[in-house]
Amino acid sequence: MNADPAALPQLSTVLAAASMRADHWRQLNAYARAWAAAGTDSAERRGACVEALADLRPLEQCWAYPGERLLGALAAALADNDAAQFARLARKLSAAILSGDFRRDEQAWNADDDGDRTLLDALPPELLGAPDKPYFEVLIVTPNEPALWQRARDEMRAMRRVDDQFHYAVTHAGSFEDAALAAMVNADVQAVVIVDGFRFTSLLDIPDLKQFLARNLGSDDEPSTAGALSTSLARALKHFRPELDLYLLTDRSPERLAGSDEAAPLRRVFHHVEEPMEVHLALLDGIADRYETPYFDNLKKYALRPIGTFHALPIARGKSIFGSNWIRDMGHFYGTNILFAESSATTGGLDSLLEPTGTIKRAQTAAARAFGAKRAYFGTNGTSTSNKIVVQAVCKPGDIVIVDRNCHKSHHYGFVLSGAQPYYVEAFPLTQYSMYGAVPLRTIKQALLDCQAGGKLDRVKVIDMTNCTFDGHMYNPQRVMEECLAIKPDLIFLWDEAWFGFARFSPLHRRRTGLGAAAALTERYRSKAYRTEYEAWKAQRGKVEPGDPAQLDEHLLPDPDKVRIRVYQTNSTHKSMSAFRQGSMMLVWDEDFHEVEGPFEEAFFAHTSTSPNLQLIASLDLARRQMELEGYGLTLKMTDLALRLRRTINGHPLISKYFHVATPEDMIPAEFRASGLRDYGPPNASWVETLQAWDDDEFALDPTRLTVICGAAGFDGTQFKGLLAERFDIQINKTSRNSILVQTNINNTHSDAALLIKALADLSREIEARLAQEGANGRQVFADRVRALMTDVPDLPNFSQFHDAFREAPDGASNEGHMRPAFFMAYEEANCEFVRLHSDDVDRRLAEGPQMVSANFVIPYPPGFPIMVPGQVITADTIAFMRKLDVKEIHGYHAAQGIKLIKPDALAGLRAGSLQ
Ligand SMILES: *Cc1c(COP(=O)(O)O)cnc(C)c1O
C-alpha cells in the first residue's frame, strides 16, 4: 500500500484533504475486493487492507460519517479475518462517502444491510430517509473522553423532530488542533460547539499536522488558559471559515462573557448545564439564517398566489403564452414557474431594486454578511454596469483615477460618463503569450508620487485595478493598499473582481481579495502593535520631500490616525457562482460611505433599469445562499481539480510535448515572486511554501485559471478554441496568440477534467502520427509554424499619452488626461477622418506627423480592454500590434473604414488644458 507516498496523509503536500480522502476510500475498497477475491488466507492482501485502514483511520475522526461505530464494524471484520464482510462494508461505506448518499439515506448509517434496527429505533419512522432535508454536520470540541462521544451523538440524534428544517450528525474533536483540522477538511461542518476545557495538542498521529495548522491558522501559539483556548479556537475558525456558526458552552459566567470582545466571533454562549434541546434549536436556527433567501422565498410564494394582473408585462403568469396559438412552445420550454414568477409589480413583497425596503434589502444585507462587506448592492446588468455605477459614484469631473489600462472597458466608459481623468498605468507584459499581467506596486506608487510632485495629489481619488485578471494574476491588495494609503490616506480602491467573487469562500484565495484586505487592514491599524511599528518607522525615516523617489523602494506605512479604509468590489456573480447571466454585485467597505451614499444612489438610478429582472435578483439571493453553505467545499474542490489538471497535463509524457499549462514561474516575472515559487505542488513547493508565497509575493497566480499554451502544437488560440468546441464539445472563452484559457469552476467535475485530458492526448497523438508520416518537409513546415506562434510575437503596446490638447500640463510627469472632450469631439463628423490600417498613410504619419489621435475606443474582444482611447496619440507599436492582432471582434474599428482619428486641424486651435 505504501508504495505511493502521496497516498499517505501528508497534509502539507495536499491541498484538499477531503479529495485525498475519497482516494483513500476508493483504494481501501479496491484492496478489500482483492482480498475477498483471493480468499481469506491471502496474508499479503489482508496486509494491504490492514495498512489502508490504518492510514485512513486517524483522519476519519473529522467526519460524522461513517463514524466510530461503522469503522469499528469494519475493523472487527478485519480482526475476524472475514474477507467477505470486510469487502461488503468497505464497498458500502466508500460508496456512501463518494456519492454523498449518507446525507440522504439512513440505511447508509446501518452496518447491516438487512436492518440492524438498534440505531434506527431511536428515530421516529417519518425521519428515516429525509431526502429533501438538507444535511450538515456539527463539530463538538470537548474535554470529555472519546469513550463518551458516541453516546453524546446518539443523544443529539434523538432530538431530531419532524418539524426540523434540516438534519445533522455530530462529530467530535478532543483538542484545539483536531478541531481546527476537522473544520478545515470537512466541508459539511456548518456549526461548531466549543465546550470549555479541552486540550491544545492533537490526539491524532498525523505527520505535518502542526505545520499545516500553523500555516493555515496564522499562528501556532498555544494559549495559556482553558478559556483563552476556547476564544482563540473561535477566532482561528472564523479566520479560516467565516461562515461557520460558533457556539460556546461554558461554566464561566455566560452573561459577562457574552458582552465581551471574546464573544464577538460566537453566535451564542450557553451555560454548560443548559437544556441540550436549546443547543439543538440554536444549531438549526443558525443554518436557517443562512438558508433563508428572502427575495427568492417570497417570489416562490408570490408565484403561487392567484392574482389578476393589470400591469404591464403580458407574459406575467403565462397568460399571453399558454393561450396563444403560436408561442405555446415558449411556455413549454421555459416551464410555468418562470412565468408565474414574472411581475412588474413592486407590491406583494416583491420590493423595488431602486429603493429596497423589504425582501431585496434583506437579501442585500445577507449578501454583505456573506461576502464580508459592510453593504451590498445587487446589479442586474452585469459588472459592466456595476463598474460604471461605482466609478460615477466616487468620481466627479476633474478627479484623477489611477487605473490599469487593461481594465475592462466599462471602467473607461465610466470615466467618460463621470468626467474623471484617467491616469493610465501599465501592467507588466507577458509578450511571449501576447497578454498582460498586472500593475506592479512600484508603478502605482510612481503615479501617486508624480501627482504629489505636481501638486495634484488631492485630486487623486481612486486606484482602480482588476483582481484577479482574466489570466489569473492576483494582486496583494493588503500591500497595495497599505503603501498607497501611506501616500494618501483617504484613497478609494475599486477592485474589479469580476472573476473573483468566489474567492471570499476559499481560505486560500481570500487573502488576495479587496474585501479580505479591508478586514485585515482595519484590524491591523486599530492594533497597538501597529501604532508602535508606525512610530518606529516614522522616527527612523525622518523628513521626506513630496514625490521623493526614495519612497518607491521603501515599504511605506500609513498614519493610523489618518488612514481610512475605503474599498469597493464589483463581481460578476454569474461568472463564478450560481446566478443568471448579468447577475452582479457591488460590495462596499467604506468608512466614509456617508460622503458617497447620495452620489451612489444617483449613479445607481442613472444606470439601473426601472424593470430589473426578478429572476436575476432571485438568483443573486440563491447564489449567496449556496456560497454561504457550501462555498467552502466547492471552492476547495475546484482548486484541487485545477491543480490535478495542471499536474496531469504538464507531467504527461506525450501531451507535454505539445501542450503546457503556464506555471506561476511562466506567468509572473521573478522580481514579483520573491518566494521563488515556481509551480504548485510537489516536487516544486509544499503547500506550506505555496501559502507563504500567497501571503507575501507581490503577485500570485490563481491556479483555477489555466493558460494552456497550444502554440507548440502548431495551433493559434482562436484556431484551437474552435477545434476544441467542434471536435470535443469543450467550450472555452479567452484566447491569445498562442494560448487558450481553461477555467475551472464550482461546477466542474473529474469527468470534465478527463474530457480535456483526453482531447489533448488525442490531438498530441495525431500530431505525432502526422509528423511521422510527412517527412522532413512537413516537419519543417510545422517547426516554422510553431516558431511564428511562439517566438515571432508582437510587442505589446503601452499607453502612449493623451494629445497635448487634452492634457493640463503637457510637460508634467503625470499622464492623466481629459478623455471626455475627446470622446465628444468625435460626435462631430467634421472633426474626424479615417486612415486605413494597412495603408502607407499610416506609416507616413507615424514618420512625419502630424500625430494621429484616436477619436474613440478601440477594444479587441476578448479580452475587452482598449488598445486606443479617445484623445490618445497613436504610436508605431500600437499600429504594429493592431496589424498582427488575431481576434475577429474589434469594437470601435471597422476594417473597411480604417482607424477613426480626430483631424489635426480640429486639434490645432485647442490650447492645452482648455477643455474640460
Ligand atoms: C466580465 C468582466 C466585466 C464585465 O462583467 P459582466 O458581468 O460581463 O458585465 C468587468 N470586468 C472584468 C474584469 C470582467 O472580466
Side-chain angles (χ1 to χ4, degrees), residues 584-613:
S584 168
M585 293 186 193
M586 289 151 270
L587 301 170
V588 182
W589 182 313
D590 183 353
E591 291 178 347
D592 294 324
F593 192 69
H594 57 93
E595 290 174 12
V596 178
E597 190 159 13
F600 192 95
E601 195 174 79
E602 288 296 344
F604 196 87
F605 288 160
H607 291 282
T608 301
S609 164
T610 44
S611 316
N613 184 308

Side-chain angles (χ1 to χ4, degrees), residues 381-385 387 408 410-411 466 496 498-499 572 574-575:
N381 193 27
T383 299
S384 303
T385 293
N387 285 332
H408 186 264
S410 49
H411 299 260
T466 306
D496 178 344
W499 294 109
S572 294
H574 68 99
K575 281 182 180 167

Side-chain angles (χ1 to χ4, degrees), residues 10 32 75 126 134 224 242 292 410 460 550 573 605 658 688 691 722 749 760 840 852:
Q10 283 170 343
E126 62 274 23
S224 48
E292 189 193 11
S410 49
V460 181
T573 319
F605 288 160
Y658 301 103
V688 171
L691 287 183
T749 61
L760 297 180
D840 296 339
M852 292 186 287

Side-chain angles (χ1 to χ4, degrees), residues 748-765:
N748 286 124
T749 61
H750 287 288
S751 312
D752 297 335
L755 188 64
L756 177 65
I757 305 253
K758 174 83 165 61
L760 297 180
D762 285 355
L763 288 169
S764 304
R765 263 189 297 274

Side-chain angles (χ1 to χ4, degrees), residues 148-409:
L148 302 173
W149 292 356
Q150 187 60 50
R151 221 184 86 203
R153 286 177 205 186
D154 292 344
E155 278 169 15
M156 294 216 50
R157 211 175 164 82
M159 277 187 288
R160 289 183 176 190
R161 304 166 316 149
V162 186
D163 303 342
D164 292 343
Q165 202 183 351
F166 318 101
H167 64 140
Y168 64 87
V170 171
T171 182
H172 283 83
S175 73
F176 182 106
E177 290 183 338
D178 297 339
L181 179 67
M184 279 177 194
V185 301
N186 182 350
D188 279 334
V189 167
Q190 296 291 352
V192 184
V193 179
I194 301 170
V195 185
D196 259 348
F198 54 88
R199 54 191 268 175
F200 182 81
T201 306
S202 175
L203 308 171
L204 308 175
D205 178 22
I206 296 179
D208 302 337
L209 178 61
K210 276 203 188 306
Q211 206 192 7
F212 180 79
L213 292 176
R215 189 64 255 152
N216 283 291
L217 299 175
S219 147
D220 52 0
D221 295 341
E222 184 174 334
S224 48
T225 69
L229 205 52
S230 291
T231 36
S232 96
L233 176 62
R235 257 204 321 277
L237 292 175
K238 271 287 175 199
H239 176 70
F240 201 71
R241 292 186 61 180
E243 76 280 7
L244 288 180
D245 293 328
L246 307 182
Y247 302 88
L248 178 66
L249 250 66
T250 180
D251 286 333
R252 297 179 279 162
S253 158
E255 296 86 349
R256 203 185 48 73
L257 232 178
S260 73
D261 276 354
E262 271 185 85
L266 301 168
R267 188 176 163 90
R268 279 189 64 178
V269 180
F270 288 105
H271 196 247
H272 219 152
V273 294
E274 218 140 11
E275 268 295 287
M277 189 47 112
E278 280 299 305
V279 179
H280 171 76
L281 294 176
L283 286 168
L284 295 179
D285 194 49
I287 303 302
D289 274 0
R290 276 183 272 160
Y291 188 80
E292 189 193 11
T293 29
Y295 189 77
F296 173 68
D297 298 346
N298 186 66
L299 191 61
K300 273 196 298 185
K301 267 191 236 147
Y302 175 88
L304 293 177
R305 292 209 316 244
I307 295 174
T309 54
F310 287 101
H311 50 63
L313 205 75
I315 69 158
R317 316 197 75 77
K319 284 183 183 168
S320 68
I321 294 165
F322 294 111
S324 160
N325 264 331
W326 297 100
I327 62 164
R328 267 200 301 268
D329 58 334
M330 178 180 178
H332 293 143
F333 182 72
Y334 287 109
T336 50
N337 280 348
I338 202 166
L339 303 169
F340 273 76
E342 274 294 347
S343 172
S344 68
T346 52
T347 51
L350 288 178
D351 209 0
S352 158
L353 183 63
L354 293 162
E355 201 161 334
T357 54
T359 50
I360 293 181
K361 185 165 191 231
R362 281 167 49 218
Q364 289 181 340
T365 305
R369 169 190 73 206
F371 285 86
K374 298 294 182 199
R375 288 160 185 268
Y377 294 89
F378 289 169
T380 57
N381 193 27
T383 299
S384 303
T385 293
S386 298
N387 285 332
K388 288 178 208 151
I389 292 175
V390 175
V391 167
Q392 198 173 326
V394 297
C395 295
K396 57 183 190 313
D399 286 348
I400 296 173
V401 180
I402 295 177
V403 55
D404 179 358
R405 200 214 2 149
N406 298 300
C407 273
H408 186 264
K409 61 189 209 166

